[in-house]
Amino acid sequence: MSDLAAFELTVGRISDAAEHSASALEVDRSLQSAAFNWALSLEKLSNRPAAIAAWKAYLALDSASGWAAEAHQHLARLSVIRSSWNDDRLLLTAGADPATIQRLVAKYPQHARTRIQNVLLPRWAESGDPADLALMQTMAAVRAADDPYLADVVANAGSRRLDLRDGFRAFKAACQAEDNADLEAARSHFTEAATIFGRHGSPLQYASAVYAASDAFFAGRAEGVLEQLQAIEDRLRAEGERYPSMKAETAWVRALVLMRGGRHYEAVDAFEAAMKAARRSGETENEVALGDLLATELEMIGDPTDSEEYRLAALRRSDEIHEDPERMYVAFAETAFSALRGGRPRVALAFIESQAAIARELKDPQRIAWTEGQRGLGLLQLGRLAEAESAVAAARQQALLISSEGSRDWALADIDYTAGRLHMLQARPDRAVTAFTSSLRIWDRYGWRLHTANGYAARAEAHLATADRRAAESDYRAGIGEMEKQRADLEPNMRVAYFERSDRLFQGLIGLLAEDGRPDEALSIVERKRARVMLEQIAAERSGAVPLDAGAIAAAVRGKTAILEIALLERSLELWLVANGRIVHARVALPAKDVEAAVARHLTAIAADDEAGVRREGRWLYDRLIAPVAGALAPDADLVIVPDGVLQAFPFATLVTPDGVYLIERHPLAATPSASVFFQAPAASAGDSLLAVAQPSPEGLKPLRSVLAEARNIAATYPRGRLHVGREITPAAFLDSAGVAGYVHFAGHARTDMARPARSALLFQSGGEQPAELTAREIGASRLPAHPLVVLAACSTGRGSARSNEGADSLATAFLQAGARGVVATLWDVDDASAARLFRAVHDNLRRNERPSDALRDAQRAFIHSQTPADRRPSLWASTALFGTQ
């Protein structure tokens, strides 16, 4: 485990390295390498307090080695006493040296603004001391080039001090109320201040109005807050957005309201707008804090790898600028929640301890309550139930001390959710139902939709444990409805990742319905979750494309076609075969992890050209995936498979039937993301035109000697074939040409990025130092109006991260999303010369008017029965599969 952590540190997987080194230390506290990796990981994660403690713990184990010398260097660097805003603000006094004022305002731009707003202006309004006015004028002048807000506030106050005095008094009272966590009083005072400042033309009206809206939201008065914020933004826009700091503050609060309300796409837009405005205003502190919050939102709906990059950057900058404790508390808390969601409880607890120290220092019951609630979740993940129960009790005790009703309810809802999870692990489902119900009621009362779907899923599982299956079904359906409502707010490329969070709900409902003898309803739910983005893109061209229910699927099946739907559940394998107008269901009592293990063994045997192993594992998988419904499968049926999980990029052709032949020898095969997509996808519209592209030598990559001849021969096969080689075509031109072709053939290099599937790419010669890229994100966002059959003769184009709902996140899937009627793609890397012969055979068969499934099948059968032993290797002929069409 410690060695794994060391490797992860070298490749930049810092959070994983931290979790694994902490796991190793749990087993052996004296393991020096694990202690070193733990300390280094925490330092790279910018958790300075935890890293200091970890380096000290390491040096207690090793005080003399070369590693110890390095540890001393890390510890000395981290332990350097640094000045902070809380220290330096004392230097910003009347009569201070102008150079000192210049330096400190430039170092702490946002803090300087709030000090003028919250402290200096109200004090000067009462005293009229010209020295205080001179100090504010000097401070404001430093910021004027980036944002004239402060200069205008101070200038307005200097000319209308007596008129504004009541406004400053209200503003000061509001700040004091916030310090005392009395958000309702703060809202009232800020509203009064905004009215007074507005009457006399002070820009402080904007800050007052934004803070009033924020306090209303956090006090639980969310109704009308978005309208208030919109009115502020309209006024700022009417003034030419002269004050970017106020734009940032307004968009920030808007983002928080939208995020908690489950309107994620709008929240991302608002966070990005706030960051842009904060950057323009020069307020680094706000830009960094917003980056951390944006990372959390992206993690909820998008690529977790991109999210971690944002978060690590935000943590690093927060540490560099030595953010104040309140801001560091938020940064640590967001990182802890991220670690909990990512299944890294040890990392989470390290951040929770750092934020706990801040909460205790601030003596803030709300922060202490949140921290102890988080601690409970982390301890639950580690199975330390007694400690988790103590943390939940401590959290509840502190939450009851919170004076603001909305903030108190917010904390109690989260605590009740954690308590419900604890009760489930303690085998007390009745109490869990009560706790989850309390959370859901609070979230519903305030319109906080962020965690509602999780709450329904958790309560459904608790209802199941009490044998109340009807209530469980109701909660599963309600949770699915909530997820569908929230995903509708997202742009398509975000919907894919976001809907993955719904899989717990779908799996639970599918299993419940199947167990209750309602397999047709279960099949309808399976289809409801699959390939929704792809189906929505089809619906944009063809009205009425919707998820089909079981009856509609049975009615759509025609002729020799048979649809096999597979669902891998936690405890069972569910199979539906739809053929000849009827549905046959089979349940195999086999956990998904056993299927995953068998698939791994099968793929290992293929990679090793171990034919005996391929046949052994292929037969085992056939008996579980096909045999239970094989009685309803006609001998000459065209088998279309809707796979799940690890089966989404699996070579079904290599399954072995009871009479010892490969499945591909019995049936033409195709895989499709969903039956709804298969039956409702539009047909091709460009006839026999072909676009062939050869990219034999992209910059910096091994030349592919066979692809040029391959593409040239294939282009010559088609009456309307066009060939482009190397720099003759750019990625953009390729997409344009592919959109009007009946067939597309790409021969060249591809890059598969399993961590960031959207960055997987086809590679083109560019003429520069690096190849040009056509990424999966760009492909999926494009449109192919002619709906071509796309042949991707490049390595691993059908392989990608397995999505529970949308299919394998691969280049092949991206082309299906763009509108290709089908994609012939590779499941692993294969020698280009051998693959060239296979793809040429596929095209020869297509030109004989064979369907794509027949064309691929006949090519594969020819290789299986070839006189050349190398051709008979499954690693060659099974490397290619058909996705999306028959």
Side-chain angles (χ1 to χ4, degrees):
M1 192 76 75
S2 180
D3 288 345
L4 174 60
F7 166 76
E8 288 165 337
L9 276 168
T10 66
V11 298
R13 290 164 51 186
I14 310 302
S15 297
D16 289 334
E19 186 68 22
H20 292 139
S21 54
S23 298
L25 285 172
E26 284 184 356
V27 178
D28 183 358
R29 283 287 173 191
S30 66
L31 186 59
Q32 293 180 10
S33 62
F36 191 96
N37 292 336
W38 172 238
L40 186 59
S41 299
L42 290 171
E43 182 176 340
K44 287 181 177 292
L45 290 171
S46 300
N47 187 340
R48 185 178 291 256
I52 289 172
W55 284 122
K56 289 179 178 178
Y58 173 78
L59 288 169
L61 299 174
D62 172 19
S63 60
S65 74
W67 282 17
E70 183 177 343
H72 277 296
Q73 292 174 1
H74 284 279
L75 183 59
R77 185 168 58 250
L78 292 172
S79 301
V80 169
I81 297 176
R82 303 179 298 165
S83 63
S84 68
W85 166 249
N86 287 337
D87 303 318
D88 288 343
R89 67 181 179 178
L90 301 178
L91 301 176
L92 287 171
T93 59
D97 174 43
T100 299
I101 296 174
Q102 167 79 30
R103 176 177 61 83
L104 294 180
V105 173
K107 183 179 180 181
Y108 305 108
Q110 185 268 329
H111 285 94
R113 171 168 64 82
T114 56
R115 183 158 182 81
I116 288 177
Q117 287 180 173
N118 300 10
V119 178
L120 299 179
L121 273 171
R123 187 175 72 193
W124 171 79
E126 294 297 332
S127 69
D129 186 343
D132 276 342
L133 180 60
L135 171 63
M136 291 188 291
Q137 289 170 336
T138 304
M139 292 174 65
V142 178
R143 296 288 316 281
D146 292 324
D147 185 339
Y149 169 77
L150 276 180
D152 288 356
V153 166
V154 173
N156 177 268
S159 63
R160 313 196 70 164
R161 180 176 73 89
L162 297 180
D163 294 335
L164 297 174
R165 191 158 51 185
D166 287 342
F168 288 125
R169 288 170 178 166
F171 195 96
K172 181 179 180 179
C175 294
Q176 291 172 340
E178 282 191 337
D179 290 342
N180 296 326
D182 188 350
L183 299 186
E184 184 55 43
R187 181 201 64 79
S188 177
H189 289 308
F190 275 132
T191 301
E192 179 187 356
T195 300
I196 295 171
F197 291 137
R199 186 184 310 136
H200 297 289
S202 170
L204 258 176
Q205 63 180 295
Y206 299 120
S208 303
V210 172
Y211 300 158
S214 175
D215 287 332
F217 171 66
F218 285 105
R221 296 164 56 107
E223 186 176 354
V225 168
L226 287 176
E227 290 76 9
Q228 295 171 36
L229 295 169
Q230 185 61 56
I232 298 168
E233 289 188 336
D234 289 345
R235 294 203 302 274
L236 289 169
R237 192 176 299 110
E239 295 189 7
E241 296 193 341
R242 176 176 171 81
Y243 305 132
S245 57
M246 293 299 100
K247 168 70 174 177
E249 295 272 14
T250 310
W252 186 340
V253 178
R254 172 185 290 280
L256 292 174
V257 175
L258 292 168
M259 182 170 71
R260 181 150 283 270
R263 295 165 62 177
H264 300 286
Y265 183 33
E266 295 173 86
V268 168
D269 275 353
F271 275 129
E272 290 179 339
M275 282 185 68
K276 182 178 179 181
R279 187 179 305 118
R280 184 173 145 231
S281 75
E283 294 191 350
T284 306
E285 305 101 315
N286 278 353
E287 182 185 352
V288 170
L290 283 160
D292 193 51
L293 291 168
L294 177 60
T296 296
E297 182 64 4
L298 287 174
E299 184 183 354
M300 301 292 286
I301 63 175
D303 189 332
T305 307
D306 285 345
S307 170
E308 185 164 9
E309 288 182 1
Y310 268 100
R311 188 174 306 288
L312 289 177
L315 279 169
R316 184 172 59 253
R317 289 289 290 128
S318 294
D319 182 65
E320 287 172 354
I321 66 176
H322 199 188
E323 271 283 26
D324 59 58
E326 291 86 351
R327 292 286 183 86
M328 287 309 302
Y329 176 91
V330 174
F332 287 153
E334 293 294 334
T335 305
F337 273 126
S338 174
L340 289 172
R341 287 189 292 268
R344 303 183 187 100
R346 297 163 185 86
V347 175
L349 287 171
F351 278 90
I352 288 167
E353 189 53 47
S354 294
Q355 75 190 63
I358 296 172
R360 289 192 296 268
E361 178 185 343
L362 297 174
K363 298 178 182 179
D364 180 353
Q366 181 168 325
R367 289 188 175 93
I368 296 173
W370 282 343
T371 301
E372 292 306 312
Q374 279 182 290
R375 192 192 305 279
L377 284 173
L379 294 166
L380 283 179
Q381 287 191 16
L382 292 172
R384 293 156 59 179
L385 303 190
E387 294 172 80
E389 190 164 22
S390 296
V392 169
R396 194 178 302 279
Q397 182 180 34
Q398 289 293 319
L400 294 174
L401 300 177
I402 299 172
S403 58
S404 167
E405 181 182 4
S407 298
R408 183 170 62 249
D409 285 345
W410 186 345
L412 287 171
D414 290 348
I415 292 166
D416 282 336
Y417 179 78
T418 304
R421 300 228 351 229
L422 174 64
H423 293 323
M424 287 295 290
L425 291 172
Q426 293 172 326
R428 299 187 292 194
D430 288 332
R431 296 180 67 175
V433 168
T434 301
F436 291 137
T437 299
S438 175
S439 293
L440 285 164
R441 283 175 177 166
I442 292 173
W443 292 335
D444 183 65
R445 184 192 319 156
Y446 291 104
W448 295 336
R449 317 306 301 174
L450 186 60
H451 303 302
T452 300
N454 279 338
Y456 280 125
R459 192 172 69 176
E461 290 160 4
H463 281 311
L464 279 179
T466 66
D468 190 346
R469 301 181 72 81
R470 179 175 295 181
E473 179 181 345
S474 176
D475 274 350
Y476 279 133
R477 292 186 184 276
I480 289 170
E482 180 66 34
M483 292 298 295
E484 289 182 325
K485 179 181 177 181
Q486 291 188 22
R487 76 177 288 280
D489 176 57
L490 302 174
E491 64 176 16
N493 68 331
M494 292 180 175
R495 291 177 189 171
V496 175
Y498 183 70
F499 213 41
E500 290 296 291
R501 297 174 56 215
S502 67
D503 202 52
R504 176 183 175 193
L505 290 155
F506 279 110
Q507 290 240 353
L509 183 55
I510 292 163
L512 184 152
L513 294 172
E515 289 171 6
D516 286 355
R518 299 154 65 186
D520 287 10
E521 292 182 64
L523 176 57
S524 298
I525 296 299
V526 170
E527 275 295 305
R528 184 173 168 184
K529 77 165 188 163
R530 286 185 169 162
R532 293 292 296 276
V533 168
M534 209 172 295
L535 195 61
E536 287 157 3
Q537 290 171 334
I538 292 171
E541 299 181 31
R542 175 180 172 180
S543 61
V546 296
L548 301 178
D549 62 21
I553 294 170
V557 174
R558 295 284 188 273
K560 297 191 303 179
T561 298
I563 298 285
L564 174 64
E565 291 244 17
I566 302 172
L568 295 177
L569 305 186
E570 184 178 354
R571 295 187 299 274
S572 67
L573 174 64
E574 306 292 337
L575 307 171
W576 293 265
L577 187 78
V578 187
N580 300 315
R582 68 191 189 103
I583 302 171
V584 175
H585 170 257
R587 157 170 280 204
V588 181
L590 183 70
K593 63 182 179 64
D594 290 354
V595 177
E596 292 164 359
V599 166
R601 293 193 301 268
H602 188 60
L603 294 175
T604 298
I606 291 174
D609 286 320
D610 173 10
E611 187 171 357
V614 172
R615 288 186 172 276
R616 181 179 61 253
E617 298 299 338
R619 178 60 196 281
W620 190 94
L621 284 163
Y622 177 92
D623 286 344
R624 275 79 183 169
L625 298 174
I626 308 294
V629 293
L633 184 63
D636 61 345
D638 300 328
L639 186 56
V640 178
I641 300 171
V642 186
D644 193 15
V646 295
L647 299 174
Q648 290 169 347
F650 176 75
F652 283 92
T654 58
L655 297 185
V656 177
T657 67
D659 55 357
V661 303
Y662 290 112
L663 184 62
I664 192 64
E665 300 184 74
R666 290 285 178 262
H667 303 281
L669 298 175
T672 184
S674 75
S676 302
V677 166
F678 181 79
F679 286 118
Q680 297 181 90
S685 61
D688 59 0
S689 62
L690 169 80
L691 169 67
V693 172
Q695 294 292 331
S697 303
E699 287 76 6
L701 298 171
K702 175 185 175 182
L704 301 175
R705 294 181 175 83
S706 301
V707 302
L708 178 55
E710 169 193 341
R712 180 179 289 123
N713 290 335
I714 288 168
T717 304
Y718 289 77
R720 294 194 293 150
R722 291 173 296 146
L723 173 64
H724 296 279
V725 180
R727 293 169 61 188
E728 294 175 5
I729 191 165
T730 64
F734 170 78
L735 276 181
D736 289 341
S737 298
V740 294
Y743 297 88
V744 175
H745 183 91
F746 177 92
H749 279 287
R751 186 189 67 247
T752 300
D753 192 327
M754 299 295 285
R756 303 174 178 86
R759 300 185 188 181
S760 295
L762 300 178
L763 304 180
F764 291 70
Q765 186 178 344
S766 68
E769 294 183 0
Q770 298 294 326
E773 297 184 353
L774 179 59
T775 66
R777 184 186 299 278
E778 292 167 333
I779 295 165
S782 68
R783 301 268 42 89
L784 302 175
H787 309 296
L789 175 71
V790 178
V791 179
L792 298 176
C795 290
S796 299
T797 52
R799 189 167 67 93
S801 297
R803 296 286 194 185
S804 300
N805 303 322
E806 203 69 25
D809 206 344
S810 65
L811 287 161
T813 303
F815 275 102
L816 291 176
Q817 289 173 347
R821 71 181 186 275
V823 182
V824 177
T826 54
L827 302 176
W828 50 78
D829 296 353
V830 67
D831 172 68
D832 65 300
S834 300
R837 292 189 293 108
L838 179 62
F839 286 115
R840 172 62 187 271
V842 170
H843 279 284
D844 287 343
N845 294 334
L846 287 170
R847 291 304 303 138
R848 287 193 283 270
N849 293 319
E850 290 190 13
R851 299 173 309 163
S853 58
D854 291 324
L856 178 58
R857 178 200 190 197
D858 288 346
Q860 290 175 318
R861 287 198 301 187
F863 275 67
I864 290 170
H865 297 289
S866 171
Q867 297 300 309
T868 303
D871 288 351
R872 297 198 296 268
R873 294 172 298 140
S875 62
L876 170 58
W877 62 261
S879 65
T880 305
L882 173 64
F883 299 91
T885 190
Q886 237 177 326

